[in-house]
Amino acid sequence: MMMKPIYITGLGNISPQKTWDNSHFLEEVEFGETNYLRCKDPNYKEYIAGDMVRRMSRIIKMGIAAGKICLTDSDCTMPDAIITGTGLGCIEDTEKFLTNMIRNNEEFLTPTSFIQSTHNTVSSQIALLLKCHNYNFTYVHRGFSFESALLDSIIRLGSGESKTVLLGSTDEMTPNTLAILQRLGQYKRKAVRTQHLLKDQSRGAIAGEGAAFFLVSSTPGSKNYARIDALDTFYKPDPESIPLRITEFLKRSGKTIDDVSMVLMGINGDPANDKVYDDVTNRLFSEKPLGWFKHLCGEYQTASSFGLWLASMILINNRVPETVLLKGIKTSELNSILIYNHYRNLNHSLMLVSSV
């Protein structure tokens, strides 16, 4: 879509890597042998009162902490809107409520798990803690959940309805959900070494989770990580049409492939999934530096938010970590990054991010 550029002036990211401290950028990357990348938890009592922490599920703590880190990073005390996206919502609390309902024969149920299982719990809790009565919305659009939240942010900032938006995404994985999705072939059954993920040809991706928040603004701030120039989404495309779609997306933004410093792709280790990226790379990006990110965060419905965080950190630090660069040489001029992600070859998205 055509849009006015918006600026990322703050970041907060809770992920399977130690990403909550923005003064460090993947100096220490943790690899291992697993089929599920679980988030690294900071000391949540630094962001949430101790009595509240004990009553919160993990995804709520992750989301609140990431949101608070983002607001502190941007020196913003009250955003004009809070907009989030989630694929599965608070699945742990949902499972707790359903399990208790079955065990107790639908009697004597406590409401806490039910109340905290709603998909907008994270954005609501952030608003309650901030005493923020402004626009608050959560999108649950499967693989487009984060992109839908980003699109809403772009529209509000472009129309002048908001000057600052706390934009975020949250998704968690539980043992029950992982087992179900493994049976469906979505995730790998056996553990693999994440640093050698692409050498494993077994079916499925490696599971992940995360909470990433961005303070986005219609104007540059005192600190600018990156500028979002364009966004596009498309559903179940014909494989032959994807390169043309990408080329037209860049053309609408006034750029060509030559203007892009590097391409970040959502390669996740599933051979069927990654074939889409291989075809596009061979036809469009054979000469471009290529990066990936899902060996760091895993695959989940809002994993593209981790990709946006990574692109923002690359641009402000003018550095591509060794573990991110998949193909090509490091470039000394990092001006713009194209993020191409798809979720199960259904939900495809493009984001063009530039340095400020």
Side-chain angles (χ1 to χ4, degrees), residues 150-164:
L150 174 56
L151 176 59
D152 192 2
S153 302
I154 290 168
I155 292 172
R156 291 192 65 84
L157 293 171
S159 66
E161 293 180 89
S162 301
K163 293 183 179 179
T164 58

Side-chain angles (χ1 to χ4, degrees), residues 245-270:
R245 184 96 189 206
I246 294 174
T247 303
E248 290 179 345
F249 168 76
L250 293 172
K251 185 178 179 179
R252 290 196 303 270
S253 306
K255 294 184 181 295
T256 66
I257 293 173
D258 293 336
D259 297 321
V260 176
S261 303
M262 73 173 296
V263 182
L264 273 179
M265 289 189 173
I267 298 167
N268 65 9
D270 182 356

Side-chain angles (χ1 to χ4, degrees), residues 278-298:
D278 294 338
D279 292 344
V280 171
T281 298
N282 293 333
R283 295 174 63 178
L284 281 185
F285 304 124
S286 58
E287 303 298 324
K288 279 290 170 186
L290 178 66
W292 63 320
F293 56 90
K294 288 181 180 174
H295 62 309
L296 302 176
C297 68

Side-chain angles (χ1 to χ4, degrees), residues 336-349:
S336 61
I337 296 176
L338 175 65
I339 305 170
Y340 172 41
N341 181 67
H342 74 77
Y343 179 74
R344 297 186 57 75
N345 201 15
L346 299 173
N347 309 100
H348 294 243
S349 67

Side-chain angles (χ1 to χ4, degrees), residues 96-97 100 104 107-115:
K96 282 182 181 178
F97 180 76
N100 288 334
N104 298 334
E107 297 178 344
F108 311 114
L109 299 174
T110 57
T112 304
S113 293
F114 175 75
I115 293 169

Side-chain angles (χ1 to χ4, degrees), residues 9-29:
T9 60
L11 295 176
N13 189 13
I14 305 296
S15 77
Q17 306 297 328
K18 294 180 180 178
T19 53
W20 59 82
D21 185 353
N22 292 329
S23 63
H24 298 281
F25 179 37
L26 297 180
E27 285 89 359
E28 296 180 11
V29 176

Side-chain angles (χ1 to χ4, degrees), residues 7-14 19-22 47 62-79 81 83 126 130 164-169 211-217 223 225 309:
Y7 300 86
I8 298 174
T9 60
L11 295 176
N13 189 13
I14 305 296
T19 53
W20 59 82
D21 185 353
N22 292 329
Y47 312 103
M62 286 162 48
I64 291 176
K68 282 200 164 186
I69 291 169
C70 178
L71 290 170
T72 301
D73 187 44
S74 62
D75 295 323
C76 176
T77 56
M78 186 64 65
I83 306 175
I126 292 173
L130 295 177
T164 58
V165 174
L166 180 62
L167 164 70
S169 72
F213 276 75
F214 310 82
L215 201 287
V216 291
S217 173
K223 180 193 296 182
Y225 285 91
W309 170 86

Side-chain angles (χ1 to χ4, degrees), residues 142-276:
R142 298 187 180 180
F144 281 152
S145 297
F146 175 69
E147 286 80 359
S148 298
L150 174 56
L151 176 59
D152 192 2
S153 302
I154 290 168
I155 292 172
R156 291 192 65 84
L157 293 171
S159 66
E161 293 180 89
S162 301
K163 293 183 179 179
T164 58
V165 174
L166 180 62
L167 164 70
S169 72
T170 53
D171 267 308
E172 66 177 338
M173 185 59 63
T174 66
N176 288 333
T177 302
L178 178 59
I180 292 169
L181 295 176
Q182 283 175 332
R183 290 179 63 185
L184 295 174
Q186 185 169 335
Y187 293 126
K188 295 183 184 298
R189 288 177 176 267
K190 295 183 178 180
V192 298
R193 291 194 174 276
T194 51
Q195 65 266 50
H196 304 306
L197 181 60
L198 297 184
K199 295 181 180 179
D200 182 88
Q201 294 298 304
S202 61
R203 181 185 180 190
I206 185 168
E209 60 184 12
F213 276 75
F214 310 82
L215 201 287
V216 291
S217 173
S218 55
T219 57
S222 57
K223 180 193 296 182
N224 299 290
Y225 285 91
R227 186 182 69 227
I228 303 175
D229 291 326
L231 167 70
D232 191 19
T233 57
F234 42 106
Y235 180 71
K236 291 179 70 173
D238 175 3
E240 294 297 317
S241 70
I242 297 175
L244 178 60
R245 184 96 189 206
I246 294 174
T247 303
E248 290 179 345
F249 168 76
L250 293 172
K251 185 178 179 179
R252 290 196 303 270
S253 306
K255 294 184 181 295
T256 66
I257 293 173
D258 293 336
D259 297 321
V260 176
S261 303
M262 73 173 296
V263 182
L264 273 179
M265 289 189 173
I267 298 167
N268 65 9
D270 182 356
N273 178 93
D274 294 342
K275 185 179 184 302
V276 178

